[in-house]
Amino acid sequence: MAKASTVYDVAAHAGVSIATVSRVLRRPADVRASTRERVLDSVQQLSYVPSAAARGLAARRTGVLGLYFPTLDAMEELEDAHFTQSTTVGVVVDMPDKGEARTPNLYFDEVLRGSELEAWRQGFALMVGVGRGKNPADMVNDIAGRVDGMAVLAQSVPTVPLEHVSRRIPVVLIAGPRRGDDYDHVSVCNTEGMRALALHLIERRGVTDFLYLAGPPDSPDDAERHAGFVQALIERGLDPAHSPVLRGGFSRLGGREAAEQLLVSGTLPRAVVCANDQMALGVLDVFTVRGIAVPGTVIVTGFDGIEAGRQSSPRLTTVRQPMVDLGRAAIRAMLSRLANPEQPPISLRLPVKVLLRESSEGPE
Amino acid sequence: MAKASTVYDVAAHAGVSIATVSRVLRRPADVRASTRERVLDSVQQLSYVPSAAARGLAARRTGVLGLYFPTLDAMEELEDAHFTQSTTVGVVVDMPDKGEARTPNLYFDEVLRGSELEAWRQGFALMVGVGRGKNPADMVNDIAGRVDGMAVLAQSVPTVPLEHVSRRIPVVLIAGPRRGDDYDHVSVCNTEGMRALALHLIERRGVTDFLYLAGPPDSPDDAERHAGFVQALIERGLDPAHSPVLRGGFSRLGGREAAEQLLVSGTLPRAVVCANDQMALGVLDVFTVRGIAVPGTVIVTGFDGIEAGRQSSPRLTTVRQPMVDLGRAAIRAMLSRLANPEQPPISLRLPVKVLLRESSEGPE
DNA sequence: CTGAAAGCGCTTACAG
DNA sequence: CTGAAAGCGCTTACAG
């Protein structure tokens, strides 16, 4: 790791100008084969790695795309605090049911994978920021200075810093509601998905009385899903007012608390429709322990399609969002905007899929 | 998104020199309060976002750290190909057991989280590259040009490009074996962990005949774990030659195939010790279907501590690696090297923890 | 506390 | 096909 070599070193070593070195790296076809070979050889010998900073400054594009997500979950849990043991190996009996799963944010993981996939595929690197510690405004600003465009989970960034940043680079909003007409936006068919699920329960499973378990009051996704639910009831002549709504904050714990509360109340609905999978799993946790048969006594459904819902027993009927596609679509929208800054705002709604599994389809 | 403003614009707007603008942003204390206010005001009004490229070039550091991981698993599965449906909602019956879990690489996810956590905490951004499409050499080179230092999953990058890159920036190897003395290196106590687990099985569970299910032949992690296993047998006077070894390639499918093969052979060992969790889960899959009692008839153990092993039934006894800590340690090693380039190579072994769960501790 | 000026390492018209 | 030269937007001694 001596002094890193530069175009100048390579040029001198190969006996050409720095312009030629640059061309060999960027448009090799424009350079005579013999010179190209010579330069490439020097690159190897000198272990030359081009500086992206210099490149980005000169070319006025960085080749990097950004992705910013807030931290919705307790990351502290991930810090492996208990690993501060000083011995090499510890042996412990690991009791079941020590709270939440350790992988809280599969949603983010999949969106990240999709973004990454698409970005690299299109020849861009991806810079990821997950909100934590610093405030969103600072982080977004920091990322914005480093990239050609960025995607942001809607609602994770206050309007002011978002506007600030969007004056410099294109910003794509992921999920949530559209924010005016100023941003490109990709999201999923929340309303339609929940409506389809509710219609299925009414038509095929003959459900007439529901409990709806909602997420946080400020979640636009939650609002859309609830709207779809209500819509289905109305379409089939059921009065939404007869289906109570509880809130579970999108967490597994919230789902458990709601289920306990329900049990205390004494009357069970035929189906508990949850606004996301985490809460539905929490409900299942409690029902399992209390010996309430699912779906025999109560049907339980979720929304999202996270992996844990495929491994629960009974497996969870849910509405699967195309999370990977969401990430990919965000990147594509960004690149499309970059290529054509003047095009009208993009607003994409990705299709969802109702997955019928044993938590709704089993024996009565 | 008009023309992005620069230091010059801000300087002119605030009536100061560009040096002062720079100072306000980097060392605010060095600037008189009134001037500072004025500049900050201009920054807001002009929506000024500093260019990281220019900054990186001038300051000779980018403030970004890199992380490169190969793709060990079938990412194609993640492409949501089935979502190319054109309708907004589809309803399908989702049958159980459609192969692998959709979240194959939790190991990477956790290392990533740890790296990210530590990087941002230390004031650095993180750039992530997951090998895919392009060849590792190109990706690593690309990332190297953009960062101040990078961490790489050992074995994921051939020696030549790794050396090339390490001549420019510090490289930290994650997991795997050390490569000479040239790189900083963080890994976990594979040998000690597997040894402790095997000792437990021998001493507390009275196991004397094992089947060892190994990973890929070229995996150094696998080799270390196997060494720990053999060591435990020898220490307790058991002949390792009496414990057959099968290979399962670290995949769930490989675990299933091995289990089938075992069943065909007709004789079951008292315990199947697997070199990772995925394979152990595959073994459990088959045993469950075939009605082989675990741990009654056969004990099954894994290694890694992935989430799925906490949700299987029976839950999987395993050796948990501190994956988040691994990521954090890699970043710390990198920063330490950056701060002190001449220090001797770092080689960290993080402790592991044997987690006893029902797949080994249940009723006989 | 503030400014003038050099320089970071590339890319990209523009000539030839 | 190749080179000379300007310029990208910052930071950082160096003066004052």
Side-chain angles (χ1 to χ4, degrees):
Chain A
M1 232 173 42
K3 195 77 192 59
S5 40
T6 69
V7 253
Y8 296 97
D9 302 321
V10 176
H13 188 274
V16 298
S17 75
I18 61 163
T20 297
V21 174
S22 179
R23 282 196 201 95
V24 167
L25 266 21
R26 308 212 67 64
R27 334 176 86 255
D30 290 4
V31 181
R32 197 198 312 165
S34 62
T35 356
R36 199 195 309 143
E37 297 302 307
R38 204 144 32 88
V39 171
L40 252 17
D41 202 58
S42 301
V43 165
Q44 282 309 320
Q45 289 193 38
L46 300 181
S47 288
Y48 170 61
V49 178
S51 153
R55 198 172 252 190
L57 184 56
R60 256 147 293 196
R61 57 187 288 289
T62 65
V64 183
L65 267 20
L67 177 66
Y68 176 80
F69 259 65
T71 305
L72 301 164
D73 34 47
M75 291 296 298
E76 300 69 43
E77 224 190 318
L78 284 168
E79 296 196 32
D80 282 353
H82 46 294
F83 269 109
T84 44
Q85 64 188 46
S86 55
T87 52
T88 26
V89 193
V91 181
V92 302
V93 176
D94 186 45
M95 300 303 289
D97 198 27
K98 296 204 301 194
E100 296 280 308
R102 228 183 27 241
T103 310
N105 205 348
L106 285 169
Y107 180 86
F108 167 69
D109 288 339
E110 295 197 28
V111 173
L112 169 59
R113 280 223 181 73
S115 308
E116 203 177 56
L117 186 69
E118 192 64 25
W120 285 99
R121 188 174 277 180
Q122 306 284 348
F124 286 78
L126 187 73
M127 166 155 297
V128 183
V130 174
R132 198 184 298 131
K134 301 168 74 170
N135 66 61
D138 286 348
M139 283 198 66
V140 166
N141 212 52
D142 189 15
I143 297 176
R146 304 175 185 281
V147 301
D148 296 330
M150 73 187 295
V152 162
L153 186 66
Q155 304 248 294
S156 66
V157 183
T159 304
V160 172
L162 201 60
E163 279 191 351
H164 185 100
V165 149
S166 71
R167 215 109 52 192
R168 175 184 239 268
I169 53 168
V171 171
V172 176
L173 263 24
I174 296 178
R178 296 196 58 182
R179 292 207 192 179
D181 264 348
D182 299 335
Y183 301 95
D184 294 316
H185 184 227
V186 298
S187 58
V188 302
C189 296
N190 281 309
T191 306
E192 297 80 355
M194 188 59 96
R195 170 174 167 274
L197 173 58
L199 285 179
H200 169 84
L201 295 177
I202 297 169
E203 295 172 352
R204 308 278 176 216
R205 313 297 301 163
V207 179
T208 55
D209 66 313
F210 292 89
L211 172 79
Y212 188 85
L213 185 50
D218 60 344
S219 160
D221 285 306
D222 184 68
E224 293 182 351
R225 291 169 197 175
H226 190 230
F229 172 74
V230 169
Q231 201 173 308
L233 298 202
I234 292 174
E235 284 178 38
R236 288 303 170 267
L238 299 175
D239 184 353
H242 291 164
S243 288
V245 175
L246 251 43
R247 290 212 172 271
F250 274 169
S251 76
R252 189 156 183 158
L253 190 59
R256 288 185 192 154
E257 290 171 354
E260 296 284 9
Q261 194 177 328
L262 187 60
L263 257 29
V264 169
S265 81
T267 54
L268 290 178
R270 178 67 189 95
V272 177
V273 172
C274 307
N276 80 347
D277 285 347
Q278 305 273 24
M279 294 192 296
L281 291 171
V283 171
L284 283 185
D285 289 341
V286 171
F287 283 3
T288 301
V289 170
R290 304 288 187 195
I292 313 276
V294 176
T297 306
V298 184
I299 285 171
V300 177
T301 66
F303 200 112
D304 277 351
I306 67 175
E307 184 60 21
R310 252 178 48 147
Q311 302 189 353
S312 57
S313 74
R315 296 182 315 133
L316 190 63
T317 286
T318 189
V319 181
R320 168 131 174 95
Q321 301 192 49
M323 295 176 270
V324 172
D325 274 354
L326 206 53
R328 299 188 63 187
I331 297 296
R332 283 208 213 93
M334 209 182 305
L335 294 177
S336 151
R337 167 72 48 205
L338 244 15
N340 187 356
E342 300 310 327
Q343 71 191 350
I346 297 166
S347 184
L348 260 183
R349 282 279 185 179
L350 301 184
V352 298
K353 190 181 276 181
V354 177
L355 300 181
L356 303 177
R357 298 194 286 222
E358 290 77 33
S359 76
S360 72
E361 305 304 295
E364 298 306 297
Chain B
M1 232 173 40
K3 193 77 194 60
S5 42
T6 70
V7 253
Y8 295 97
D9 302 321
V10 176
H13 188 273
V16 298
S17 74
I18 61 163
T20 296
V21 175
S22 179
R23 280 195 203 96
V24 167
L25 265 21
R26 309 212 67 63
R27 335 176 85 256
D30 291 5
V31 180
R32 198 198 312 165
S34 62
T35 353
R36 200 194 310 143
E37 298 301 309
R38 204 142 33 87
V39 171
L40 253 17
D41 203 59
S42 301
V43 165
Q44 282 310 320
Q45 290 194 37
L46 302 181
S47 287
Y48 171 61
V49 178
S51 151
R55 196 172 255 189
L57 185 57
R60 253 146 298 194
R61 56 187 290 289
T62 65
V64 184
L65 267 19
L67 177 65
Y68 176 80
F69 259 66
T71 305
L72 301 164
D73 36 48
M75 289 298 297
E76 299 69 44
E77 225 189 317
L78 284 168
E79 296 195 34
D80 282 355
H82 46 294
F83 270 108
T84 43
Q85 64 188 46
S86 55
T87 52
T88 32
V89 193
V91 181
V92 301
V93 177
D94 186 45
M95 300 302 290
D97 197 26
K98 296 204 301 191
E100 297 279 309
R102 228 183 28 240
T103 309
N105 205 348
L106 285 169
Y107 181 85
F108 167 69
D109 288 339
E110 295 197 29
V111 173
L112 169 59
R113 280 223 180 74
S115 308
E116 202 177 58
L117 185 70
E118 192 65 24
W120 285 99
R121 187 174 278 182
Q122 305 284 347
F124 286 77
L126 187 72
M127 166 156 297
V128 183
V130 173
R132 199 183 299 130
K134 302 168 72 170
N135 65 63
D138 286 348
M139 284 199 64
V140 166
N141 212 54
D142 188 17
I143 296 176
R146 306 176 184 280
V147 301
D148 296 331
M150 73 187 295
V152 162
L153 186 66
Q155 303 248 294
S156 66
V157 184
T159 304
V160 172
L162 201 61
E163 280 193 350
H164 185 101
V165 149
S166 72
R167 216 110 52 194
R168 175 184 239 268
I169 54 168
V171 171
V172 176
L173 262 24
I174 297 179
R178 296 196 58 184
R179 293 207 191 178
D181 264 350
D182 300 334
Y183 300 96
D184 294 317
H185 185 226
V186 299
S187 57
V188 302
C189 296
N190 281 308
T191 306
E192 297 78 356
M194 188 57 96
R195 172 175 166 274
L197 172 58
L199 286 178
H200 168 84
L201 295 177
I202 298 169
E203 295 173 351
R204 308 277 177 220
R205 312 298 301 162
V207 180
T208 56
D209 65 314
F210 291 90
L211 172 79
Y212 187 84
L213 185 50
D218 60 344
S219 160
D221 285 307
D222 183 68
E224 292 182 352
R225 290 169 198 175
H226 190 230
F229 173 73
V230 168
Q231 201 174 311
L233 297 202
I234 292 175
E235 283 179 39
R236 287 304 170 266
L238 299 175
D239 184 352
H242 292 163
S243 288
V245 176
L246 250 43
R247 290 211 174 273
F250 274 170
S251 75
R252 190 157 184 159
L253 189 60
R256 287 185 193 156
E257 290 171 354
E260 297 285 9
Q261 194 177 330
L262 188 61
L263 256 30
V264 170
S265 82
T267 55
L268 290 177
R270 179 67 189 93
V272 176
V273 172
C274 306
N276 81 346
D277 285 347
Q278 306 272 24
M279 294 192 296
L281 291 171
V283 171
L284 283 185
D285 288 341
V286 171
F287 283 2
T288 300
V289 171
R290 305 289 188 191
I292 313 275
V294 176
T297 306
V298 185
I299 285 171
V300 177
T301 66
F303 200 111
D304 278 351
I306 65 175
E307 183 61 21
R310 251 178 49 147
Q311 302 190 353
S312 56
S313 74
R315 295 183 317 131
L316 190 64
T317 286
T318 190
V319 182
R320 167 130 176 98
Q321 300 192 50
M323 296 176 271
V324 172
D325 273 355
L326 206 53
R328 299 189 63 186
I331 297 296
R332 282 209 214 93
M334 209 181 306
L335 294 176
S336 152
R337 166 72 48 205
L338 245 15
N340 187 356
E342 300 310 328
Q343 73 192 350
I346 298 166
S347 184
L348 261 184
R349 282 279 185 178
L350 301 185
V352 298
K353 190 180 278 181
V354 177
L355 301 181
L356 303 177
R357 298 195 286 224
E358 291 76 34
S359 77
S360 72
E361 307 303 296
E364 299 307 297

